[in-house]
Amino acid sequence: MTLTVSPASRFQHEGFALEPKPVLPMSLIERARAGIDSVRAGHYDTGRAPYASPWNPGDDPHILCKIELGHIANEALREVASHPAIGAQAAALTGATHVQVWWVQLLYKPPLTTPDAPTSVGWHQDYHYWQDDWASPDGLLTAWVALSDVTAESGPLRFVRGSHRWGLREDSDFFAHDPDAQRISLDIPDEAHWEEVEAVLPPGGVSFHDSLTYHGSGPNRANLPRCSLALHLCTDHARLREGGGALTRFLDEPGICPVLHSA
Ligand SMILES: O=C(O)CCC(=O)C(=O)O
């Protein structure tokens, strides 16, 4: 007898899910790809600048470019971040009746030019960074939308299978530039097995990960930049922390935090 495991059970067990078939139309992907170049150049067709970011137009083009709320600065990026197909998938994986974007990161990883250019992303659990805003990791996940061909060479996101079941750990450092070196010093449970899975995706493909899943990514050894929007999502199972933090203050603004699914 063959037992079929549903995508939702697998997500619950593994802490991540890959949707390797493009979820978004290619015409939108192409416009969004051009939108990334515009926002990086400081051109905002919405008339609105992104939020204060670690990378700003004019900064070193050879390092990891992380722009906070980049979608508010470009119409095509806003369309990607508002796409109901992403909400429907998140709902199917989590059983949620309500899915909303609450934060967005534009991530552009240029091809590696010098060995020590900081383009990697260190191992981290997202909830480590969200504790001021959210009272628990429940009901929080990320949809990582590929806007370029994300191959094994381009520094894809890497998930640690089942690590969301380890609870919140002490060690998380998005900005650790050598994830392989950082990995050795991570405090993981004694009985835990560290198994990395690469999220190789076509343009328009999406991966989903739980707010406690360890993830990171290495350098881009391909010839083209790796481009994505990371949509941080909350569902009806999420609980805001009383008093709130800085990141969740736009929840009532649909132009910044669109609702992607409501049953
Ligand atoms: O794009 C990456 O390599 C890291 C993205 C990330 O940390 C996230 O989407 O939560």
Side-chain angles (χ1 to χ4, degrees):
M1 190 173 73
T2 316
L3 286 181
T4 314
V5 180
S6 72
S9 316
R10 189 172 295 133
F11 181 69
Q12 212 171 21
H13 186 72
E14 305 202 319
F16 64 90
L18 307 182
E19 181 43 72
K21 283 201 264 2
V23 172
L24 306 177
M26 198 43 69
S27 55
L28 175 56
I29 300 302
E30 279 162 12
R31 284 194 297 122
R33 183 64 194 80
I36 287 195
D37 291 341
S38 300
V39 172
R40 277 171 49 82
H43 303 309
Y44 309 134
D45 68 5
T46 56
R48 188 166 190 180
Y51 194 75
S53 298
W55 193 97
N56 294 281
D59 283 355
D60 186 346
H62 304 298
I63 65 173
L64 180 76
C65 160
K66 180 175 184 287
I67 298 180
E68 309 295 341
L69 303 184
H71 67 305
I72 65 175
N74 180 269
E75 289 297 352
L77 294 177
R78 184 135 70 188
E79 257 181 71
V80 171
S82 313
H83 208 286
I86 297 171
Q89 285 205 331
L93 289 174
T94 58
T97 55
H98 181 90
V99 178
Q100 184 176 7
V101 170
W102 66 273
W103 195 262
V104 175
Q105 297 178 64
L106 181 166
L107 293 152
Y108 174 102
K109 189 190 286 253
L112 194 65
T113 42
T114 53
D116 54 354
T119 61
S120 297
V121 172
W123 295 109
H124 65 283
Q125 296 174 299
D126 290 335
Y127 185 65
H128 171 85
Y129 295 104
W130 299 347
Q131 297 175 69
D132 288 349
D133 291 86
W134 298 99
S136 96
D138 298 343
L140 303 174
L141 70 159
T142 293
W144 194 97
V145 185
L147 296 176
S148 62
D149 198 10
V150 179
T151 61
E153 292 71 41
S154 68
L157 206 49
R158 285 190 258 157
F159 300 117
V160 180
R161 199 191 293 280
S163 52
H164 63 309
R165 287 185 266 116
W166 302 346
L168 182 64
R169 314 299 301 174
E170 290 290 309
D171 313 297
S172 269
D173 187 358
F174 183 101
F175 291 102
H177 297 315
D178 184 348
D180 292 333
Q182 180 207 8
R183 143 99 185 86
I184 294 162
S185 63
L186 288 182
D187 165 39
I188 67 168
D190 290 341
E191 70 286 1
H193 173 60
W194 184 275
E195 182 191 350
E196 296 174 20
V197 180
E198 282 184 341
V200 169
L201 294 168
V206 182
S207 66
F208 294 86
H209 63 267
D210 186 274
S211 65
L212 287 178
T213 299
Y214 262 116
H215 58 287
S217 62
N220 179 359
R221 300 188 190 280
N223 297 327
L224 296 170
R226 192 209 73 173
C227 304
S228 63
L229 275 191
L231 312 184
H232 299 313
L233 308 178
C234 56
T235 74
D236 41 302
H237 304 298
R239 275 186 302 124
L240 274 172
R241 190 173 290 289
E242 215 170 309
L247 301 179
T248 41
R249 66 174 184 273
F250 303 117
L251 268 175
D252 295 332
E253 292 189 45
I256 300 179
C257 298
V259 173
L260 300 187
H261 177 86
S262 194

